[in-house]
Amino acid sequence: MTVVFTRTVTPNSGHLGGTLKFAKKRIKALRKAYGLKIALNARVGGPAGQLIMVSYHDSMGDLEKMRRKVMKGVAGGKIPQPKPGLIKSVEDAVLIRL
């Protein structure tokens, strides 16, 4: 069973450029630290400027293991966090690929 993880990031007004730069930096750090392959997409229609990061995992257990590693990396300063005021909201979704 393939599990799809998406993170939708909505930048604050006027911060699309900074949010895009941050997202690319974070993806690069996740690739380097954990070998994660993450696609970055821009939403067409809907809330302006939304960026959607997508990764695929072999199972829910694999996703959970990776999320725990990432949380440790964030806490340890290995994975970058956005500057205050840059991002309006973040929404995660977990889907099962059919």
Side-chain angles (χ1 to χ4, degrees), residues 6-11 15-24 27 39-45 47-54 86-87 89-92:
T6 67
R7 172 161 286 176
T8 302
V9 178
T10 305
H15 292 279
L16 176 57
T19 301
L20 179 58
K21 191 179 287 187
F22 161 73
K24 287 180 177 182
I27 289 169
L40 180 60
N41 304 279
R43 184 170 176 165
V44 177
Q50 279 190 329
L51 302 174
I52 303 165
M53 295 177 269
V54 181
L86 189 66
I87 294 174
S89 67
V90 176
E91 181 182 335
D92 293 344

